[in-house]
Amino acid sequence: MPISTKVADFIGRSSWIRKMFDEGPRLKKEHGAENVFDFSLGNPNLDPAKGVKNAILAAAADDTPGIHGYMQNAGFPYVRAAVAAKIRQDEGVDLDENHIVMTVGAGGAVNVVLKTILNPEDEVIFPKPFFVEYVFYVDNHGGNGITVPTTEDFSLDLGAIEAAINPRTAAVMINSPNNPTGRVYSENNIRGLAALLERKSKDIGRPIVLISDEPYRGIIYDDVVVPSVLKAYSNSIVVTSFSKDLSLPGERIGYIAMNPEIDNAGLMMEGLILANRILGFVSAPSLMQRAVKNVLRDLVDVSIYKRRRDRLYEALTSFGYECVKPEGAFYLFPKSPIKDDVSFVVALQKKLILTVPGTGFGEPGYFRIAYCVSDQTIEGSLKGFEEAIREVRS
Ligand SMILES: Cc1ncc(COP(=O)(O)O)c(C=O)c1O
């Protein structure tokens, strides 16, 4: 077989999300699109704001000679300078364009960082439930993903992280606001993690890198604050994108912000830039770099996501579902009313509601609802959600 056994195996267990998403077209054909309620994929259904579209048009109209050519692998210096200025203002961290690499989305950014820091068999610790691709991303670079539980409300369990750290630990990777739980780690939680990693780095004799994956940083509710990881811990690297904040996931644009205080900062940055090149990204797309530079402060209309979160959260809890109220991102992660989350997701599917079992995120006993969908989808689904829990409980 011309395909590697590992990739063949990965295909088999790759993604519950895709499995559910692929069910969508079949069910829609059979039952009519308006009767199928698809909450399977975190694909924002809001259009980018008008300012973003205009910025793309303006970037496309730029006739500067060479503008579509190769550039520095880290990206245009003036784009990186603008990104750095925003982080300086928002987080009070003293970085400049030499600490930024423009990337092909947050997914590209995570891969660049892991390529740069991992030796074979190094371990990367991340909390459960997790963004499914982390497992594959760590494997891409010869590392081993080590998952640890979170607390009952999905905050970081520092004891569990401490217990998992050993001399092979290269990094801890967190994601806040979180996919799939919607949890935003508190300032206290982040400070505690930073203190733990400082202490354990000394114990094991190597700096543990804290990778903070933040593509949902702008999508937060009710005055919640997303603490600055760069401010809290010197050996930190933020990876992020404009995919969700600006509703641009198909345009593949994001960046890495490296803490200027990180150990061996110069060499680390050289490594990140090289990794961006040799992973075949070469650089982030020129057009999108230039476009986002002018809309760094734009944001989708978060009040729409908040309205959807409130509607679903209130309706589901009134039907008897147990759920931690999300503080950010656009996911709900309720407990499955029966132990077997896969069976419950199948029960929902019979009501033409597509969700993803917690098993797919390393957290059986729950299921994920991506509510980046229309209000009609939410309204139309409520009856099915109510019937499903009633039926499995009777
Ligand atoms: C937690 C998390 N990290 C990374 C990504 C990838 O983002 P991008 O599309 O910018 O590569 C996603 C996308 O859903 C995500 O949810």
Side-chain angles (χ1 to χ4, degrees), residues 42 104-108 131 134 175 179 213 215-216 241 243-244 249 252 331:
V104 175
F131 176 53
Y134 287 168
N175 162 230
N179 173 9
D213 181 19
Y216 303 94
S241 71
S243 300
K244 317 288 170 154
R252 313 306 305 135
Y331 307 101

